[in-house]
Amino acid sequence: MDHDQEIHHTGSNHSDPSPEPAQGGNDVDDVSTSSGSELDDDDRQPQPLISDRKRTQYKKFSSWLSQHAETVTTEEVKAAVNANDEALSIRSLMSKQESTVLINDAREYQIELFEKAKKQNTIAVLDTGSGKTLIAVLLLKHIIDFELEDRGMGKRPRISFFLVDCVTLVFQQFAVLESNLGHKVERFCGEMGCDLWSKKTWDKHFSENMVIVCTAEILYQCLMHSFIALDQINLLIFDEAHHAKKNHAYARIIKDFYISEADPSKRPKVFGMTASPVDAREDVVKAARELETMLDCQIATASDLSLLRVSISRPNEIIAVYERLPYPHVTHLSAALKEKFGEIEALSNLFKFTREATAQLGEWCADRVWSLALIDEEAMKIERKIERSFNDEKELRPIAVLDAELARVREAKEFVASWTFSPPSYTGNSLSSKVLLLQKYLGLIFEKPTDSRCIIFVKRRYTARLLGELLAQIGTEHLRTGLLIGTRYGDPGDVKVSFRQQILTLNKFRKGEINCLVNLESSIMNCLDG
């Protein structure tokens, strides 16, 4: 049921327990009884049923909750600017990092893509740092000018949506648009409690603003609950448009609402932005066509790429060549664990990862995984996994079997706890040649106090945590590491990180309090762009 669609009942007849919908929007608050006069029983006004009173109370509570969730005062933002980051809420942290970003005159290739976007739905493909957002600003100004003319002629108001893939980008892009549009802009994300808002609340925001910056899921939910209709939108901007595939919110908005609108005149204009329209692992031509079809757009880039090379400052690229890595093998600890506890299915992924880690990272990192995964709290996670698997089995087994498996996990935990671990060494197979070369480069950069900052990209959460711990031990005193790995949590030995902690890490990196960020490729790292 939509938030705004409450069903109200009147207690018109106690003998008929089936209430009917109230007419004209009246609810039980409008039912009154006479006082101070004597009336026959037949003439008495009916009393509300208990279910009616509950519905009324629920309606009042929902209204209060909606208003409470909506409230974001100027005082809160001002207080956030002066407060300590550690004491701030997620919303206040985001507000604090907003800045005034004034965009200078557009370059020739930006004007070129803007002109294309005016004529047809377009996906602008430009490198990071090339100013894709300026094209969006120009297009928004163009659309808003026409919108103001339409409103002047009495046409139904329409609004533009700037959609992003992660919460941080909501606030980042909002700051840019607010500083450059000259029209009312607002931003929304799930952290602001938008899922509690009623249609009345959304109507207020839609009527007060020309542009909404939000995560795609917010707009999808608004469309799904009929808080807004597609023909009330004049422009859809998809930031990082390459995400529009499979079950992503970008794709669901297009498939469930845009394509299903048979009348092209009721569809909004579409503009996408991306630095990489396709995944390198895919057939480039096929993937590009699929993206164009999905967003009902044509991919376009600058006709003169030399203009991009002049406009964008690129870092110097150095290719570091490390010695050939050894083949994956088994450490003494892994071999001993395999011999004693190899039958425990819940440890199979750990055995697999530690074997790979010996080649990519070194034996110290491989063994460190066991000490992270089989400490008290993490070992309990493995036990719970075994219990769930046992309970999901179709064939019932004696509970003694489960007890025996759990006892084996505890034995493995005690075995690892009693193992003597050596510190990381620069000799032998303790650390791989790749890790040693990385440490060498970092040592050269951070051997003295410096304003330099560095980002290390990894593909596995375990790798990120292991490198973070290793560099804390073998790095220089001026190297300050942090992790940016997203909020997914589940594997034994995995580090639990809240979204708020990730925002704090980003802020510390921007300020230089952290100067080496170990980043998971699939995390919110793209939110640092800009």
Side-chain angles (χ1 to χ4, degrees), residues 283-311:
D283 181 295
V284 175
V285 176
K286 179 183 176 182
R289 286 175 178 169
E290 288 177 350
L291 183 61
E292 287 181 324
T293 302
M294 172 61 73
L295 293 180
D296 190 28
C297 290
Q298 286 191 358
I299 291 177
T301 190
S303 57
D304 187 354
L305 295 179
S306 63
L307 295 175
L308 281 174
R309 287 190 286 269
V310 172
S311 303

PDB file of all heavy atoms in Angstrom, residues 283-311:
ATOM      1  N   ASP A 283      32.225  -7.933 -24.789  1.00  0.00           N
ATOM      2  CA  ASP A 283      32.345  -7.533 -26.180  1.00  0.00           C
ATOM      3  C   ASP A 283      31.977  -6.050 -26.249  1.00  0.00           C
ATOM      4  O   ASP A 283      30.840  -5.663 -25.972  1.00  0.00           O
ATOM      5  CB  ASP A 283      31.399  -8.370 -27.048  1.00  0.00           C
ATOM      6  CG  ASP A 283      31.507  -8.005 -28.516  1.00  0.00           C
ATOM      7  OD1 ASP A 283      31.165  -6.860 -28.864  1.00  0.00           O
ATOM      8  OD2 ASP A 283      31.932  -8.857 -29.311  1.00  0.00           O
ATOM      9  N   VAL A 284      32.934  -5.216 -26.624  1.00  0.00           N
ATOM     10  CA  VAL A 284      32.763  -3.767 -26.536  1.00  0.00           C
ATOM     11  C   VAL A 284      31.592  -3.280 -27.377  1.00  0.00           C
ATOM     12  O   VAL A 284      30.732  -2.519 -26.902  1.00  0.00           O
ATOM     13  CB  VAL A 284      34.064  -3.049 -26.954  1.00  0.00           C
ATOM     14  CG1 VAL A 284      33.842  -1.540 -26.982  1.00  0.00           C
ATOM     15  CG2 VAL A 284      35.193  -3.401 -26.010  1.00  0.00           C
ATOM     16  N   VAL A 285      31.536  -3.710 -28.625  1.00  0.00           N
ATOM     17  CA  VAL A 285      30.480  -3.246 -29.532  1.00  0.00           C
ATOM     18  C   VAL A 285      29.110  -3.710 -29.042  1.00  0.00           C
ATOM     19  O   VAL A 285      28.146  -2.926 -28.988  1.00  0.00           O
ATOM     20  CB  VAL A 285      30.738  -3.750 -30.966  1.00  0.00           C
ATOM     21  CG1 VAL A 285      29.577  -3.352 -31.876  1.00  0.00           C
ATOM     22  CG2 VAL A 285      32.049  -3.185 -31.502  1.00  0.00           C
ATOM     23  N   LYS A 286      29.018  -4.968 -28.647  1.00  0.00           N
ATOM     24  CA  LYS A 286      27.744  -5.514 -28.170  1.00  0.00           C
ATOM     25  C   LYS A 286      27.277  -4.791 -26.902  1.00  0.00           C
ATOM     26  O   LYS A 286      26.108  -4.407 -26.784  1.00  0.00           O
ATOM     27  CB  LYS A 286      27.897  -7.011 -27.892  1.00  0.00           C
ATOM     28  CG  LYS A 286      26.632  -7.660 -27.372  1.00  0.00           C
ATOM     29  CD  LYS A 286      26.865  -9.138 -27.044  1.00  0.00           C
ATOM     30  CE  LYS A 286      25.609  -9.762 -26.432  1.00  0.00           C
ATOM     31  NZ  LYS A 286      25.833 -11.180 -26.054  1.00  0.00           N
ATOM     32  N   ALA A 287      28.205  -4.595 -25.958  1.00  0.00           N
ATOM     33  CA  ALA A 287      27.848  -3.943 -24.695  1.00  0.00           C
ATOM     34  C   ALA A 287      27.424  -2.490 -24.931  1.00  0.00           C
ATOM     35  O   ALA A 287      26.486  -1.996 -24.287  1.00  0.00           O
ATOM     36  CB  ALA A 287      29.019  -4.003 -23.726  1.00  0.00           C
ATOM     37  N   ALA A 288      28.097  -1.803 -25.846  1.00  0.00           N
ATOM     38  CA  ALA A 288      27.751  -0.417 -26.141  1.00  0.00           C
ATOM     39  C   ALA A 288      26.344  -0.320 -26.741  1.00  0.00           C
ATOM     40  O   ALA A 288      25.554   0.557 -26.375  1.00  0.00           O
ATOM     41  CB  ALA A 288      28.772   0.191 -27.101  1.00  0.00           C
ATOM     42  N   ARG A 289      26.020  -1.248 -27.629  1.00  0.00           N
ATOM     43  CA  ARG A 289      24.684  -1.246 -28.233  1.00  0.00           C
ATOM     44  C   ARG A 289      23.615  -1.557 -27.188  1.00  0.00           C
ATOM     45  O   ARG A 289      22.519  -0.978 -27.209  1.00  0.00           O
ATOM     46  CB  ARG A 289      24.635  -2.270 -29.367  1.00  0.00           C
ATOM     47  CG  ARG A 289      25.386  -1.820 -30.619  1.00  0.00           C
ATOM     48  CD  ARG A 289      25.425  -2.905 -31.672  1.00  0.00           C
ATOM     49  NE  ARG A 289      26.107  -2.457 -32.886  1.00  0.00           N
ATOM     50  CZ  ARG A 289      26.460  -3.270 -33.865  1.00  0.00           C
ATOM     51  NH1 ARG A 289      26.204  -4.567 -33.783  1.00  0.00           N
ATOM     52  NH2 ARG A 289      27.078  -2.796 -34.933  1.00  0.00           N
ATOM     53  N   GLU A 290      23.925  -2.482 -26.290  1.00  0.00           N
ATOM     54  CA  GLU A 290      22.963  -2.827 -25.236  1.00  0.00           C
ATOM     55  C   GLU A 290      22.703  -1.638 -24.317  1.00  0.00           C
ATOM     56  O   GLU A 290      21.566  -1.400 -23.899  1.00  0.00           O
ATOM     57  CB  GLU A 290      23.473  -4.023 -24.432  1.00  0.00           C
ATOM     58  CG  GLU A 290      23.428  -5.334 -25.183  1.00  0.00           C
ATOM     59  CD  GLU A 290      24.009  -6.480 -24.388  1.00  0.00           C
ATOM     60  OE1 GLU A 290      24.619  -6.217 -23.312  1.00  0.00           O
ATOM     61  OE2 GLU A 290      23.894  -7.640 -24.828  1.00  0.00           O
ATOM     62  N   LEU A 291      23.760  -0.869 -24.016  1.00  0.00           N
ATOM     63  CA  LEU A 291      23.594   0.315 -23.170  1.00  0.00           C
ATOM     64  C   LEU A 291      22.756   1.371 -23.881  1.00  0.00           C
ATOM     65  O   LEU A 291      21.879   1.998 -23.275  1.00  0.00           O
ATOM     66  CB  LEU A 291      24.961   0.879 -22.788  1.00  0.00           C
ATOM     67  CG  LEU A 291      24.951   2.085 -21.836  1.00  0.00           C
ATOM     68  CD1 LEU A 291      24.312   1.710 -20.506  1.00  0.00           C
ATOM     69  CD2 LEU A 291      26.371   2.615 -21.625  1.00  0.00           C
ATOM     70  N   GLU A 292      23.017   1.561 -25.179  1.00  0.00           N
ATOM     71  CA  GLU A 292      22.230   2.519 -25.950  1.00  0.00           C
ATOM     72  C   GLU A 292      20.758   2.119 -25.978  1.00  0.00           C
ATOM     73  O   GLU A 292      19.860   2.953 -25.826  1.00  0.00           O
ATOM     74  CB  GLU A 292      22.768   2.620 -27.381  1.00  0.00           C
ATOM     75  CG  GLU A 292      24.089   3.364 -27.495  1.00  0.00           C
ATOM     76  CD  GLU A 292      24.557   3.461 -28.932  1.00  0.00           C
ATOM     77  OE1 GLU A 292      24.335   2.501 -29.698  1.00  0.00           O
ATOM     78  OE2 GLU A 292      25.130   4.502 -29.298  1.00  0.00           O
ATOM     79  N   THR A 293      20.512   0.825 -26.167  1.00  0.00           N
ATOM     80  CA  THR A 293      19.136   0.333 -26.210  1.00  0.00           C
ATOM     81  C   THR A 293      18.462   0.489 -24.850  1.00  0.00           C
ATOM     82  O   THR A 293      17.301   0.908 -24.765  1.00  0.00           O
ATOM     83  CB  THR A 293      19.108  -1.146 -26.628  1.00  0.00           C
ATOM     84  OG1 THR A 293      19.732  -1.289 -27.913  1.00  0.00           O
ATOM     85  CG2 THR A 293      17.683  -1.668 -26.709  1.00  0.00           C
ATOM     86  N   MET A 294      19.189   0.163 -23.790  1.00  0.00           N
ATOM     87  CA  MET A 294      18.624   0.231 -22.446  1.00  0.00           C
ATOM     88  C   MET A 294      18.185   1.644 -22.095  1.00  0.00           C
ATOM     89  O   MET A 294      17.077   1.866 -21.581  1.00  0.00           O
ATOM     90  CB  MET A 294      19.649  -0.271 -21.424  1.00  0.00           C
ATOM     91  CG  MET A 294      19.252  -0.065 -19.971  1.00  0.00           C
ATOM     92  SD  MET A 294      17.736  -0.930 -19.525  1.00  0.00           S
ATOM     93  CE  MET A 294      18.342  -2.616 -19.504  1.00  0.00           C
ATOM     94  N   LEU A 295      19.012   2.634 -22.372  1.00  0.00           N
ATOM     95  CA  LEU A 295      18.719   4.020 -22.001  1.00  0.00           C
ATOM     96  C   LEU A 295      18.050   4.814 -23.113  1.00  0.00           C
ATOM     97  O   LEU A 295      17.809   6.013 -22.948  1.00  0.00           O
ATOM     98  CB  LEU A 295      20.000   4.730 -21.559  1.00  0.00           C
ATOM     99  CG  LEU A 295      20.630   4.233 -20.251  1.00  0.00           C
ATOM    100  CD1 LEU A 295      21.897   5.024 -19.930  1.00  0.00           C
ATOM    101  CD2 LEU A 295      19.651   4.340 -19.088  1.00  0.00           C
ATOM    102  N   ASP A 296      17.770   4.145 -24.246  1.00  0.00           N
ATOM    103  CA  ASP A 296      17.142   4.823 -25.372  1.00  0.00           C
ATOM    104  C   ASP A 296      17.964   6.039 -25.782  1.00  0.00           C
ATOM    105  O   ASP A 296      17.450   7.139 -26.001  1.00  0.00           O
ATOM    106  CB  ASP A 296      15.709   5.247 -25.004  1.00  0.00           C
ATOM    107  CG  ASP A 296      14.916   5.745 -26.211  1.00  0.00           C
ATOM    108  OD1 ASP A 296      15.216   5.293 -27.327  1.00  0.00           O
ATOM    109  OD2 ASP A 296      14.023   6.600 -26.030  1.00  0.00           O
ATOM    110  N   CYS A 297      19.274   5.840 -25.856  1.00  0.00           N
ATOM    111  CA  CYS A 297      20.221   6.932 -26.132  1.00  0.00           C
ATOM    112  C   CYS A 297      21.200   6.535 -27.226  1.00  0.00           C
ATOM    113  O   CYS A 297      21.264   5.371 -27.641  1.00  0.00           O
ATOM    114  CB  CYS A 297      21.025   7.274 -24.877  1.00  0.00           C
ATOM    115  SG  CYS A 297      20.110   8.064 -23.565  1.00  0.00           S
ATOM    116  N   GLN A 298      21.975   7.521 -27.668  1.00  0.00           N
ATOM    117  CA  GLN A 298      23.116   7.268 -28.543  1.00  0.00           C
ATOM    118  C   GLN A 298      24.386   7.702 -27.819  1.00  0.00           C
ATOM    119  O   GLN A 298      24.423   8.783 -27.224  1.00  0.00           O
ATOM    120  CB  GLN A 298      22.981   8.033 -29.864  1.00  0.00           C
ATOM    121  CG  GLN A 298      21.949   7.449 -30.811  1.00  0.00           C
ATOM    122  CD  GLN A 298      22.020   8.065 -32.196  1.00  0.00           C
ATOM    123  OE1 GLN A 298      22.826   8.967 -32.452  1.00  0.00           O
ATOM    124  NE2 GLN A 298      21.176   7.593 -33.098  1.00  0.00           N
ATOM    125  N   ILE A 299      25.394   6.849 -27.854  1.00  0.00           N
ATOM    126  CA  ILE A 299      26.681   7.175 -27.231  1.00  0.00           C
ATOM    127  C   ILE A 299      27.408   8.210 -28.088  1.00  0.00           C
ATOM    128  O   ILE A 299      27.453   8.109 -29.312  1.00  0.00           O
ATOM    129  CB  ILE A 299      27.542   5.909 -27.077  1.00  0.00           C
ATOM    130  CG1 ILE A 299      26.927   4.991 -26.022  1.00  0.00           C
ATOM    131  CG2 ILE A 299      28.977   6.259 -26.703  1.00  0.00           C
ATOM    132  CD1 ILE A 299      27.666   3.670 -25.849  1.00  0.00           C
ATOM    133  N   ALA A 300      27.980   9.212 -27.421  1.00  0.00           N
ATOM    134  CA  ALA A 300      28.703  10.269 -28.136  1.00  0.00           C
ATOM    135  C   ALA A 300      29.913  10.701 -27.320  1.00  0.00           C
ATOM    136  O   ALA A 300      29.907  10.639 -26.090  1.00  0.00           O
ATOM    137  CB  ALA A 300      27.790  11.464 -28.384  1.00  0.00           C
ATOM    138  N   THR A 301      30.948  11.122 -28.022  1.00  0.00           N
ATOM    139  CA  THR A 301      32.124  11.692 -27.352  1.00  0.00           C
ATOM    140  C   THR A 301      32.641  12.848 -28.197  1.00  0.00           C
ATOM    141  O   THR A 301      32.045  13.192 -29.221  1.00  0.00           O
ATOM    142  CB  THR A 301      33.214  10.624 -27.159  1.00  0.00           C
ATOM    143  OG1 THR A 301      34.246  11.150 -26.304  1.00  0.00           O
ATOM    144  CG2 THR A 301      33.825  10.191 -28.480  1.00  0.00           C
ATOM    145  N   ALA A 302      33.716  13.462 -27.772  1.00  0.00           N
ATOM    146  CA  ALA A 302      34.247  14.618 -28.493  1.00  0.00           C
ATOM    147  C   ALA A 302      34.747  14.195 -29.867  1.00  0.00           C
ATOM    148  O   ALA A 302      35.420  13.168 -30.002  1.00  0.00           O
ATOM    149  CB  ALA A 302      35.367  15.263 -27.694  1.00  0.00           C
ATOM    150  N   SER A 303      34.420  14.972 -30.888  1.00  0.00           N
ATOM    151  CA  SER A 303      34.871  14.646 -32.251  1.00  0.00           C
ATOM    152  C   SER A 303      36.368  14.869 -32.397  1.00  0.00           C
ATOM    153  O   SER A 303      37.034  14.186 -33.171  1.00  0.00           O
ATOM    154  CB  SER A 303      34.105  15.480 -33.272  1.00  0.00           C
ATOM    155  OG  SER A 303      34.274  16.868 -33.005  1.00  0.00           O
ATOM    156  N   ASP A 304      36.913  15.801 -31.628  1.00  0.00           N
ATOM    157  CA  ASP A 304      38.357  16.085 -31.670  1.00  0.00           C
ATOM    158  C   ASP A 304      38.950  15.720 -30.312  1.00  0.00           C
ATOM    159  O   ASP A 304      38.909  16.501 -29.361  1.00  0.00           O
ATOM    160  CB  ASP A 304      38.596  17.572 -31.973  1.00  0.00           C
ATOM    161  CG  ASP A 304      40.073  17.887 -32.195  1.00  0.00           C
ATOM    162  OD1 ASP A 304      40.901  16.974 -31.993  1.00  0.00           O
ATOM    163  OD2 ASP A 304      40.382  19.041 -32.545  1.00  0.00           O
ATOM    164  N   LEU A 305      39.490  14.520 -30.218  1.00  0.00           N
ATOM    165  CA  LEU A 305      40.008  14.033 -28.941  1.00  0.00           C
ATOM    166  C   LEU A 305      41.249  14.787 -28.480  1.00  0.00           C
ATOM    167  O   LEU A 305      41.604  14.740 -27.306  1.00  0.00           O
ATOM    168  CB  LEU A 305      40.330  12.532 -29.047  1.00  0.00           C
ATOM    169  CG  LEU A 305      39.122  11.617 -29.285  1.00  0.00           C
ATOM    170  CD1 LEU A 305      39.564  10.163 -29.410  1.00  0.00           C
ATOM    171  CD2 LEU A 305      38.109  11.765 -28.158  1.00  0.00           C
ATOM    172  N   SER A 306      41.909  15.499 -29.405  1.00  0.00           N
ATOM    173  CA  SER A 306      43.087  16.267 -29.006  1.00  0.00           C
ATOM    174  C   SER A 306      42.704  17.381 -28.034  1.00  0.00           C
ATOM    175  O   SER A 306      43.500  17.793 -27.189  1.00  0.00           O
ATOM    176  CB  SER A 306      43.785  16.859 -30.236  1.00  0.00           C
ATOM    177  OG  SER A 306      42.918  17.773 -30.901  1.00  0.00           O
ATOM    178  N   LEU A 307      41.453  17.875 -28.141  1.00  0.00           N
ATOM    179  CA  LEU A 307      40.994  18.908 -27.214  1.00  0.00           C
ATOM    180  C   LEU A 307      40.920  18.368 -25.795  1.00  0.00           C
ATOM    181  O   LEU A 307      41.185  19.082 -24.825  1.00  0.00           O
ATOM    182  CB  LEU A 307      39.614  19.420 -27.646  1.00  0.00           C
ATOM    183  CG  LEU A 307      39.558  20.157 -28.988  1.00  0.00           C
ATOM    184  CD1 LEU A 307      38.110  20.500 -29.337  1.00  0.00           C
ATOM    185  CD2 LEU A 307      40.404  21.429 -28.932  1.00  0.00           C
ATOM    186  N   LEU A 308      40.554  17.094 -25.670  1.00  0.00           N
ATOM    187  CA  LEU A 308      40.506  16.474 -24.351  1.00  0.00           C
ATOM    188  C   LEU A 308      41.894  16.358 -23.746  1.00  0.00           C
ATOM    189  O   LEU A 308      42.099  16.609 -22.567  1.00  0.00           O
ATOM    190  CB  LEU A 308      39.872  15.077 -24.447  1.00  0.00           C
ATOM    191  CG  LEU A 308      38.349  15.013 -24.547  1.00  0.00           C
ATOM    192  CD1 LEU A 308      37.902  13.586 -24.780  1.00  0.00           C
ATOM    193  CD2 LEU A 308      37.724  15.552 -23.280  1.00  0.00           C
ATOM    194  N   ARG A 309      42.841  15.959 -24.576  1.00  0.00           N
ATOM    195  CA  ARG A 309      44.209  15.771 -24.066  1.00  0.00           C
ATOM    196  C   ARG A 309      44.792  17.090 -23.565  1.00  0.00           C
ATOM    197  O   ARG A 309      45.565  17.128 -22.619  1.00  0.00           O
ATOM    198  CB  ARG A 309      45.092  15.162 -25.156  1.00  0.00           C
ATOM    199  CG  ARG A 309      44.803  13.692 -25.421  1.00  0.00           C
ATOM    200  CD  ARG A 309      45.851  13.086 -26.327  1.00  0.00           C
ATOM    201  NE  ARG A 309      45.692  13.511 -27.712  1.00  0.00           N
ATOM    202  CZ  ARG A 309      44.954  12.859 -28.616  1.00  0.00           C
ATOM    203  NH1 ARG A 309      44.282  11.780 -28.249  1.00  0.00           N
ATOM    204  NH2 ARG A 309      44.864  13.296 -29.853  1.00  0.00           N
ATOM    205  N   VAL A 310      44.413  18.204 -24.210  1.00  0.00           N
ATOM    206  CA  VAL A 310      44.904  19.518 -23.790  1.00  0.00           C
ATOM    207  C   VAL A 310      44.221  19.953 -22.496  1.00  0.00           C
ATOM    208  O   VAL A 310      44.826  20.571 -21.622  1.00  0.00           O
ATOM    209  CB  VAL A 310      44.665  20.565 -24.907  1.00  0.00           C
ATOM    210  CG1 VAL A 310      44.997  21.959 -24.402  1.00  0.00           C
ATOM    211  CG2 VAL A 310      45.491  20.222 -26.131  1.00  0.00           C
ATOM    212  N   SER A 311      42.944  19.610 -22.360  1.00  0.00           N
ATOM    213  CA  SER A 311      42.143  20.117 -21.245  1.00  0.00           C
ATOM    214  C   SER A 311      42.338  19.350 -19.958  1.00  0.00           C
ATOM    215  O   SER A 311      42.145  19.895 -18.873  1.00  0.00           O
ATOM    216  CB  SER A 311      40.656  20.089 -21.631  1.00  0.00           C
ATOM    217  OG  SER A 311      40.438  20.838 -22.809  1.00  0.00           O
TER     218      SER A 311
END
